Amino acid sequence: MRLTSTMSSRSKPTSWASAAACFLLLGSQPVSAIPLDPTSTTSIISAVDTVAAGLVGWYNGNQTGQTPGLLPGPYYWWEAGGMWWSLVDYWYYTGDTQYNAITSQAIQFQRGADNDFMTANQTKDEGNDDQSFWGFAAMEAAELNFPAPPSGSPSWLALAQGVFNIQATRWDTSSCAGGLKWQIFPFNAGYNYKNGISNGCFFNMASRLYRYTGNQTYADWAVKMYDWCTDVGLVSPSYQVFDGTDDTENCTSLNHDQWTYNAGVFLYGAAMMWNMTSDPVWKTRVDGFVAGLPVFFKNDVMYEVECEPNNNCNNDQQSFKAYLTRWMAATTLLAPWTYDTIMNTYLIPSAQAAAAQCDGGTSGTVCGMHWTNGATYDGMYGPGEQMAALQVMGALLINGKKAPYTANTGGTSKGDPTAGTGSGTSLTNLKGIQTISSGDRAGAGVLTAVILLAFVGMGVWSAF
């Protein structure tokens, strides 16, 4: 998936040009920007609508001869999952249904034979974090009661369960006493890296499935993963979340880089656990992660601290702020005491700054990345920038929205506890595939051929 600052970054191949052409002619853009009044619902919806149209403009997978769900190069499969997740949120925030059909088609098309997003056209270089972002699109759809997929298709909840089920089988005790590897297959670079985002995604998904279904097995896994992350130091005593650790050294050393989405994935998982249990331990953790957010803000405006100051954020990193903003906003519904700090201190100033930075391209509304630049357009553009702007402006509509549904509070998506436990794609089935270069890579972790062993002793699955 996204390659961190200590791994290799990517550059744009020439094939991206046709997708970008509809946005640019950057040398002579008008000064415009997107108007945003954070006190006006009408203004916010108008702004989010403009940004969403710009995001969808990057997509051609619904056209003849194209592959549903995918963004054009150089944007990788995982980021497309983030895009559909963001468009589910767009519908939730605004009530606008115009993108629902392509969103549903995209998620279902990429679900894979076993309904776990081990997708045939991606599996050889897919990782745990890549897979999780598609799982998050499905989980978000389940929690928000996004319109159900066509009859005969797996439910949104079942798809999320499929991701969880297959990843639980990858719990790796061969080093570091547990955790998930970044890469799934040993022929991919990063196979010996156990990183914050892959393990954080599993914790996040387990906590959300626990809250939705009430099944204690998910809670057990959430606690197990969180405890492991603190034991090896991926989550520090002061609630910093670090990039990763090398399992060839038994996770005794850490890469201390901090990324926005790593903080967000743990914040939201902790909020889910507190909302479900009212355990003061989880409240302390929510408060700790909120207290750790200032590293990602400059004058109360969000920025990617590891790459924005040096202007070296790659295509993947350009989208990370989208996920932190969404998880921060949703946390205010689950842990309401966080609202004032999250919204008034951080998200409103960031949304205003993001809107001012959406002043590029011939339209004067293409969004840049450096929100701290204000209205001085930074010349950057892409689906990541659009997603981040969509999420931070949309977050201003969170007040008054319903918290994510559960099976007991009106959630309509019905699960499949066996999803993801079919024959699947094994390492044996991938023999003969050439080693993938780091420039072609999307992801994380290790796939086993044996299914369900990780669930031995972990409890009985419910009907969800």
Side-chain angles (χ1 to χ4, degrees):
M1 183 209 269
R2 55 218 70 84
L3 300 178
T4 65
S5 59
T6 57
M7 312 297 267
S8 64
S9 60
R10 305 184 182 104
S11 59
K12 295 179 180 177
T14 55
S15 61
W16 72 277
S18 61
C22 61
F23 292 96
L24 303 172
L25 288 179
L26 291 172
S28 57
Q29 71 270 14
V31 176
S32 179
I34 296 176
L36 178 68
D37 176 357
T39 68
S40 166
T41 298
T42 300
S43 173
I44 299 167
I45 289 176
S46 176
V48 174
D49 179 70
T50 299
V51 176
L55 173 59
V56 174
W58 285 91
Y59 180 61
N60 63 5
N62 58 332
Q63 298 175 7
T64 301
Q66 302 298 319
T67 303
L70 300 185
L71 285 165
Y75 303 102
Y76 288 85
W77 182 73
W78 81 270
E79 191 169 349
M83 171 178 166
W84 303 117
W85 161 17
S86 294
L87 288 173
V88 170
D89 291 335
Y90 170 78
W91 164 80
Y92 166 72
Y93 283 135
T94 68
D96 184 355
T97 63
Q98 66 175 308
Y99 305 125
N100 285 9
I102 61 170
T103 299
S104 183
Q105 179 198 41
I107 297 171
Q108 289 290 331
F109 191 88
Q110 293 293 325
R111 70 181 189 247
D114 293 321
N115 300 331
D116 56 5
F117 296 107
M118 289 299 292
T119 306
N121 62 359
Q122 301 295 327
T123 298
K124 70 182 184 299
D125 54 3
E126 183 180 337
N128 284 309
D129 47 359
D130 304 307
Q131 185 183 27
S132 293
F133 270 73
W134 283 87
F136 288 153
M139 191 70 223
E140 197 88 341
E143 291 170 330
L144 302 184
N145 274 355
F146 189 72
S151 178
S153 301
S155 72
W156 304 127
L157 180 59
L159 292 175
Q161 288 174 306
V163 172
F164 173 87
N165 288 348
I166 192 63
Q167 289 191 356
T169 71
R170 299 175 188 152
W171 183 261
D172 172 43
T173 58
S174 68
S175 63
C176 312
L180 298 183
K181 288 175 174 281
W182 181 25
Q183 295 293 338
I184 291 176
F185 296 109
F187 51 69
N188 284 329
Y191 179 72
N192 293 318
Y193 199 57
K194 292 187 174 180
N195 60 345
I197 192 60
S198 294
N199 289 282
C201 285
F202 185 83
F203 164 67
N204 184 297
M205 185 67 82
S207 69
R208 294 165 73 173
L209 288 170
Y210 171 48
R211 182 176 177 274
Y212 192 101
T213 68
N215 189 317
Q216 184 63 34
T217 299
Y218 295 121
D220 293 342
W221 272 106
V223 171
K224 181 176 181 177
M225 175 58 86
Y226 187 91
D227 288 349
W228 180 84
C229 288
T230 60
D231 288 346
V232 300
L234 287 177
V235 176
S236 80
S238 56
Y239 300 96
Q240 299 163 300
V241 183
F242 298 126
D243 187 77
T245 184
D246 188 342
D247 70 8
T248 64
E249 299 175 356
N250 203 35
C251 301
T252 56
S253 62
L254 292 166
N255 172 354
H256 287 94
D257 286 353
Q258 295 184 71
W259 301 95
T260 51
Y261 72 161
N262 281 344
V265 78
F266 280 94
L267 168 64
Y268 196 44
M272 283 278 171
M273 293 300 289
W274 180 84
N275 187 267
M276 185 63 176
T277 67
S278 298
D279 187 332
V281 169
W282 289 110
K283 183 180 187 300
T284 297
R285 291 167 177 170
V286 171
D287 290 342
F289 288 118
V290 172
L293 290 174
V295 69
F296 303 113
F297 291 83
K298 184 177 181 180
N299 298 322
D300 296 334
V301 173
M302 189 182 296
Y303 80 126
E304 201 64 61
V305 64
E306 296 295 346
C307 61
E308 280 195 45
N310 294 321
N311 297 310
N312 63 346
C313 300
N314 65 30
N315 290 323
D316 297 319
Q317 295 154 2
Q318 290 160 24
S319 73
F320 288 1
K321 291 185 292 189
Y323 318 121
L324 175 57
T325 54
R326 171 55 190 166
W327 284 322
M328 286 174 66
T331 290
T332 68
L333 298 176
L334 301 172
W337 72 89
T338 66
Y339 181 88
D340 183 63
T341 298
I342 285 177
M343 185 60 63
N344 295 324
T345 302
Y346 296 128
L347 292 185
I348 290 176
S350 295
Q352 291 174 303
Q357 182 60 205
C358 291
D359 60 351
T362 56
S363 67
T365 58
V366 171
C367 298
M369 180 182 185
H370 293 76
W371 300 344
T372 54
N373 284 9
T376 303
Y377 180 54
D378 63 6
M380 299 181 71
Y381 49 89
E385 289 85 347
Q386 296 297 131
M387 266 190 279
L390 184 158
Q391 287 287 12
V392 76
M393 294 183 210
L396 304 188
L397 297 167
I398 199 76
N399 193 24
K401 291 292 182 183
K402 290 185 178 180
Y405 288 99
T406 72
N408 292 325
T409 62
T412 57
S413 192
K414 304 299 181 183
D416 175 7
T418 67
T421 61
S423 59
T425 302
S426 68
L427 182 57
T428 301
N429 293 338
L430 290 179
K431 282 183 177 179
I433 294 178
Q434 293 181 340
T435 300
I436 308 304
S437 69
S438 61
D440 293 330
R441 189 158 294 97
V446 59
L447 177 63
T448 66
V450 181
I451 308 299
L452 294 177
L453 290 180
F455 301 115
V456 174
M458 292 300 294
V460 179
W461 290 101
S462 73
F464 293 105

